[in-house]
Structure formats: structure tokens, C-alpha cells
Amino acid sequence: MDATPPPQPTPTQPTLTPAERAAVLAELLPSLRAQQGQTLVIKYGGNAMTEPALQLAFAQDVVLLQLLGMRPVVVHGGGPQIENLLQRLGKQGRFVQGMRVTDAETMQVVEWVLAGQVQQEIVGLINQAGGRALGLTGRDGGLIRAQALRLPDATDPSRWHDIGQVGDIVAVDPALLHTVQAQGYIPVVSPIGYGAGNERFNINADVVAARLATSLQADKLLMLTNIPGVLDRQGQLLARLSMAQIEALMADGTISGGMIPKIAGALEAAQSGVKAVHIIDGRVPHAMLLEALGQHACGTTICVA
Ligand code: ADP
Ligand code: MG
């Protein structure tokens, strides 16, 4: 038997004196008390998911939030990883309005990459950071029921795009999430749903995160991405966005590609009772931790009056 102990996360260099550390913790007491038992749905995507240093920092932050009394649920994407394997297999990925066109072969690749590779990497990192992660897809426990998405053309809504096995969520049954959270596990959800005929559906991860946040009536939805937040036409960060502003940015094409489902999901969650919705820059170390602790650091906050 190999008696080597499991690898431990490398401790970060202390940057505060013991007194400063005590002061920071004491200062956090009121907000931590207010946040006990809060549910946070975290969409993990972009660079934070591909750079090793950011990956470990993310996993450590998730574990820390749970230790501080919150209930994190992680939903991950995997666009770059799917693209990578498709390329190795000599298949060209294609997108329509930010959605990946998913034929049967692509769906197989999506499932291998999301559920087989990416999800298990995140589970491993959270476990390594001292948490207990549990990997699930939307098929497990009947979590996410879906049907084929009918995608109307953005400019001519009388035309429809056939994008294959891309799923539109029909229903979410969060029972399994409640069960595993109650036992102290951190759910890590891959954005795959099941159909009435046992079909598999590839669902945009932002849409899954938003719908899970709504279904769980989460206190916060945090969407990590590879850009500072939602940008205006001049490339300037929009720190706060109202529904009217979002509609205008969608209509004039300032919001495009992967930002379309992200912002649509964010808006839907904010309108459906999720109290705080933020799109944040996953390239900034600990951006998620700061935002989760209510220290607005970077990114875009969705506001519904
Ligand atoms: P992920 O889902 O991993 O966060 P996506 O590529 O799906 O990444 O979505 C983020 C991308 O959306 C950005 O990298 C950017 O290229 C694109 N995008 C389109 N319009 C905007 C906008 N107005 N502001 C910011 N990003 C935008
Ligand atoms: Mg995306």
C-alpha cells in the first residue's frame, strides 16, 4: 500500500500581521452572520477555468465560503475544452447566436469533456482544497429536464435555426441539490440535461446556472467570465445594468455571442427572485470571494428595480 498522504494546497505567504488578520476577521462578523446558510450559485467559466493558479484559488475560495457558512453550488462551462477535443478529432465547431450547434457526434464529445474531464477536474481541486465536492450532470436525480431548443433568428424572428441537441430547460428538480448540500457536499454541476425520450441535451452553462439559482431561490448568482464584465460600445465596463439598458444593448448588437445567453440568464434570475446577480472577471484572483462576501470588486451588477 502506498502510504503517501494526499497533496495539500500550498499555504499562501502571510501578508498580514496576526493583529491585522484578527481585525479583518472581526470586521467581517456582521456580514458573515447575515450570510449564514445563504445559497450561492457560481458559474465557473472563462480563463479562471483554464489557468492552473486561478483554478486552485477558485477551489480554495469555494471551500472557504462553505466554511464561512454559505452553501455554494458550482455550475461549470467548458467551451474551450470542447473546442480543443473537437479539433483533435478533426471536427469544426459552429455557433449560432452564441449557442454551439450540437449534432450527435458533437454531443458525445460535449458529454466526455464536460462530465468526464472538466467536472472531475473541478471536483478534484475542491477536494484537494479540503472540501467535499460531488460531481453531477443535469441527468442525475432528474435535476434538469430539457427539450430541443427552438432558436428564433435574432434579426428575423419568423426564421428558426436548427442547432441539434442544444437543450432548452423545461423543468428543474432541485431535490438532489438540497440533499447533497444538507450532507455538506459541494455540488459541481455539468450543463447536460435529459429529454422525455432519454435524449441528452447540451445546455449553455450560463442558462443552467441562472435556472438553478432561480429554482434554489439563491441569494446570489455569480458568473465568472473572461472579460471585465459587460462592456458598452466603446469597450467601457458597465458596472450596473438595468433591464432597459440590457434591452437596448441587445437590440443594437453591443451584446453578442456568449454574452447573449449569459445576460439573458442573469436578467431572468434577477427578475425571478435571486437577490444579487453579478457578472465578474474570473481573471482577477479572488474576484469571486470578494463579490460573495459583498465587497463589490469588479464586473457588472444586474439591477431590477
Ligand atoms: P464564458 O461563458 O466562459 O464566460 P463566453 O465566451 O460564452 O464565455 O461569453 C463571454 C464573451 O462574450 C466575452 O469574452 C466577449 O467576447 C463576448 N461579448 C459579446 N458582447 C459583449 C459585451 N457587450 N460585453 C462583454 N463581452 C461581450
Ligand atoms: Mg458562455
Side-chain angles (χ1 to χ4, degrees), residues 191-212:
I192 295 168
Y194 70 99
N198 193 21
E199 309 92 314
R200 286 159 158 76
F201 287 109
N202 169 28
I203 311 175
N204 179 281
D206 293 309
V207 173
V208 168
R211 288 294 292 272
L212 290 186

Side-chain angles (χ1 to χ4, degrees), residues 43-47 49 77-80 98 204-206 223-233 238 249 253-262:
K43 156 66 196 312
Y44 183 44
N47 295 53
M49 227 172 86
N204 179 281
D206 293 309
M223 295 169 140
L224 274 73
T225 185
N226 56 353
I227 201 155
V230 182
L231 308 181
D232 67 13
R233 211 159 248 295
L238 295 159
L249 293 168
T254 306
I255 290 176
S256 62
M259 195 50 79
I260 298 175
K262 196 186 300 295

Side-chain angles (χ1 to χ4, degrees), residues 81-96:
Q81 292 87 340
I82 293 168
E83 204 52 48
N84 192 298
L85 184 52
L86 284 174
Q87 264 176 26
R88 277 163 53 196
L89 297 171
K91 245 180 114 65
Q92 181 71 42
R94 198 161 69 78
F95 286 84
V96 176

Side-chain angles (χ1 to χ4, degrees), residues 152-166:
D153 188 76
T155 47
D156 175 5
S158 66
R159 276 182 51 219
W160 297 86
H161 294 280
D162 179 5
I163 49 174
Q165 280 170 259
V166 174

Side-chain angles (χ1 to χ4, degrees), residues 230 237-241 296 299-302:
V230 182
L237 174 68
L238 295 159
R240 294 168 66 83
L241 267 185
H296 185 56
T300 302
T301 299
I302 311 300

